[in-house]
Structure formats: C-alpha cells, structure tokens
Amino acid sequence: MSIDADKQEKYRQIKERVVIPESVRRANSPEEIERRLRKPLAPGQVWTVVDDDEFCHVVIQSVHEDPRIVTVVPMSLDLESETPDSLVLMTGGIEGLPSIAWPDLAKDIPTRVLCKPLGMIDKQRFALIANNMPGENFSVYRGRELDEFGFLPEMKRERIDDFLYDCSMQCNLLTTLPSISDRRYGQKIQVRICRFLMEQCGMSRSDAEAASERPTQLNKETLEKLLTSGFEVDDLKKAELLPESLLCEIELPIVRETVEAYAQENPQNADPYVSLAQEAYGLAARHAKSHFGDWAAEIRKVRIRHHA
C-alpha cells in the first residue's frame, strides 16, 4: 500500500469512528438553515460570525433599537480555551454541545457579519450568560486557568476579542437611518424632479421616475438644469433617501449572499448594500408608485437577476 493510500485508509477509519450528533446534522441541513435565516433576530440565538477569512461563534445578547446592530457574546466549542473570566456550558451550548462563553467580551456588531444560524441557547442558560453567572443546576461553571498551558487559552481569547472588535468597527459604515420627516420631504422632492425632467428635459415618465430616485447621478448637463431651476444640492440628496425598513432589511443575514454576489459583479460600487437597496427600491417604485414595503420580494428579484 502506498503512503497516500495508507493515509486515506487511516482518514477513512477515523471518519467511521466519529459520530456526528443528530442535532448537528439537522442544524446543517439546507432546509433548517433557510428556516432559521427567515426568523427575526432575537436574544439567545447562536450564530457564526464570518468576516474575510476569520470566523467565531456568538450568542445574541440583545438587538438594538437600530435593528442593524446586535450585541453578542463570543463562544467557542474548544473546551481547552476556558479562562477565569469565561463560563463553561457542559450541556446546552452551541448546537447542544459543551461550549465556552465570554460574557465580558460582549461587543456591538452589525448584522451583516452574521452568517450561519446555529439554533438557540435555552432561556435558563442564556440568562446565566447574560448576567455572567455560573449555575450548577444547569451545568454552567466558572472557567478556570489551565496552569500548564495557560497562555494558549489567553491567546485564543484575545484573538476572538480582536476579531469581534474589527467587526464592531463596521457599525460605523452603516448608512444613517432617515427621519420620517426627511423621507416625506424627499418624496415630495422626487415628485418635483420627476415633473421637471418630463416637462423640461423631455424624458418619458418611466425614465423620469427612475432618474428622480438618484438625481445626483444625472449627467452634468441635466444636473446643471436642475440646480439652475431652483433645486438645491441638499434637496437632491434628500430625494435619494431610502426607507428605513429597506435599509434595515438589506442588512439581514439572509441577504448576505446576494450582497456578496452583487459586490463581485459591481466592484465599482463603494457600498454594495446601499446600491443593492437602491435597485430594490427602484423595482418597487416602478409598480407600486407611492406605497411599497415588501422589500424581500424586490431584493429577491435583484438576487435572481444577478445570480442568473
């Protein structure tokens, strides 16, 4: 038997000895992942956070008033990574498996870095994590320092902390949510711009409606006509304000795959989240005029078009 064949045989034997819990099998089925992705974000949910080539597990501690931001507590399946400030869940952890949690390392992160849902932590154990308290009745213990290799768990703890800190910095990239008054004013400006483009620039109604959503992107000649006719630059920017509900929905984990595909196909867009939202908004505006709100349907249409 060759060396490679010998290695393959050893791997096969190891694989046969590994027993994957049924709960893990169910959690990783495409149907279960899709079902969980469609659930609203809520405290107690366990997620894999992925950014670039790094990842870690977290449990959502709270959802902010701005639903695009959640506070999370980092977790790990590596029981050898316990530290004195950690909690050790011997049962009922990630996918029901023994896990480590670091409540003191809680961070605010954008929902856009949440990738894969891994189920829930039960209420009792979640309450212990949220309050950073052990509970022997639920097999949750305070972590200890491993004397022999104490520096190794600390290194893993710091690596996870640094990773989540980098993720938290992305909260600064989120578009400011518009106020209701600004949105209403922006819609009025859109109507005025649309009318001007039809009457003064000879645009068709459909072209004028599309252009009124992004007036700052009009060609130089048309833009100058708008500005010399009495429109202010701030007015044009307010006409481009997107609804709060759409800006929140475009950040949900279920849209992540669509945004990533869109970003690859449109590398010139500085912010693919906003650009994708603008496309979805434009699709809704074409057929719903002044009232639209089913953003999932419009995002899905953009998703199908770009994936095709």
Side-chain angles (χ1 to χ4, degrees), residues 173-192:
L173 303 177
L174 298 175
T175 303
T176 302
L177 296 179
S179 65
I180 295 177
S181 59
D182 282 345
R183 273 286 301 148
R184 287 174 178 169
Y185 182 72
Q187 288 174 336
K188 291 178 181 178
I189 294 296
Q190 278 186 359
V191 173
R192 287 175 51 203

Side-chain angles (χ1 to χ4, degrees), residues 193-204 208 218-219 221-223 225-226:
I193 292 174
C194 182
R195 188 180 297 121
F196 177 87
L197 294 176
M198 287 191 296
E199 296 175 356
Q200 303 300 321
C201 301
M203 284 190 182
S204 66
L218 288 167
N219 63 53
E221 182 182 352
T222 307
L223 192 57
K225 284 184 180 180
L226 277 173

Side-chain angles (χ1 to χ4, degrees), residues 230-242:
F231 288 97
E232 300 290 339
V233 174
D234 286 344
D235 289 339
L236 302 187
K237 290 180 178 179
K238 286 186 177 180
E240 295 182 343
L241 291 176
L242 296 171

Side-chain angles (χ1 to χ4, degrees), residues 15-81:
K15 189 175 180 180
E16 287 180 352
R17 290 199 299 268
V18 174
V19 178
I20 300 175
E22 184 59 31
S23 61
V24 176
R25 291 182 184 275
R26 289 197 303 270
N28 285 279
S29 68
E31 298 78 15
E32 180 63 16
I33 291 173
E34 181 76 11
R35 185 184 71 81
R36 289 175 176 175
L37 280 171
R38 294 190 179 281
K39 284 187 173 183
L41 296 176
Q45 290 177 351
V46 180
W47 286 81
T48 301
V49 172
V50 178
D51 190 43
D52 293 330
D53 294 327
E54 294 189 72
F55 78 95
C56 77
H57 297 114
V58 300
V59 58
I60 295 179
Q61 183 170 293
S62 62
V63 180
H64 288 220
E65 185 176 351
D66 179 346
R68 300 174 300 171
I69 301 175
V70 291
T71 300
V72 298
V73 171
M75 299 188 70
S76 175
L77 287 166
D78 182 6
L79 293 184
E80 293 184 356
S81 64

Side-chain angles (χ1 to χ4, degrees), residues 11-179:
Y11 292 153
R12 186 190 65 78
Q13 291 175 5
I14 293 172
K15 189 175 180 180
E16 287 180 352
R17 290 199 299 268
V18 174
V19 178
I20 300 175
E22 184 59 31
S23 61
V24 176
R25 291 182 184 275
R26 289 197 303 270
N28 285 279
S29 68
E31 298 78 15
E32 180 63 16
I33 291 173
E34 181 76 11
R35 185 184 71 81
R36 289 175 176 175
L37 280 171
R38 294 190 179 281
K39 284 187 173 183
L41 296 176
Q45 290 177 351
V46 180
W47 286 81
T48 301
V49 172
V50 178
D51 190 43
D52 293 330
D53 294 327
E54 294 189 72
F55 78 95
C56 77
H57 297 114
V58 300
V59 58
I60 295 179
Q61 183 170 293
S62 62
V63 180
H64 288 220
E65 185 176 351
D66 179 346
R68 300 174 300 171
I69 301 175
V70 291
T71 300
V72 298
V73 171
M75 299 188 70
S76 175
L77 287 166
D78 182 6
L79 293 184
E80 293 184 356
S81 64
E82 67 176 289
T83 56
D85 62 342
S86 67
L87 290 176
V88 181
L89 286 71
M90 295 308 299
T91 59
I94 301 168
E95 296 184 325
L97 301 173
S99 308
I100 304 290
W102 289 274
D104 286 344
L105 301 187
K107 295 280 190 301
D108 295 339
I109 63 171
T111 57
R112 65 173 60 175
V113 298
L114 298 177
C115 183
K116 183 181 178 182
L118 300 173
M120 296 281 294
I121 299 288
D122 64 69
K123 291 182 179 179
Q124 292 83 1
R125 289 176 176 82
F126 172 70
L128 293 173
I129 293 174
N131 294 294
N132 196 7
M133 293 175 57
E136 293 188 10
N137 291 340
F138 301 100
S139 301
V140 178
Y141 304 96
R142 177 63 62 193
R144 57 193 174 86
E145 185 172 354
L146 302 178
D147 297 331
E148 188 176 359
F149 300 107
F151 67 94
L152 293 177
E154 287 293 337
M155 286 176 62
K156 178 156 189 175
R157 175 189 180 281
E158 290 176 8
R159 193 162 58 247
I160 292 174
D161 191 35
D162 289 343
F163 170 62
L164 284 182
Y165 175 79
D166 290 341
C167 291
S168 70
M169 290 295 99
Q170 294 190 41
C171 292
N172 299 324
L173 303 177
L174 298 175
T175 303
T176 302
L177 296 179
S179 65

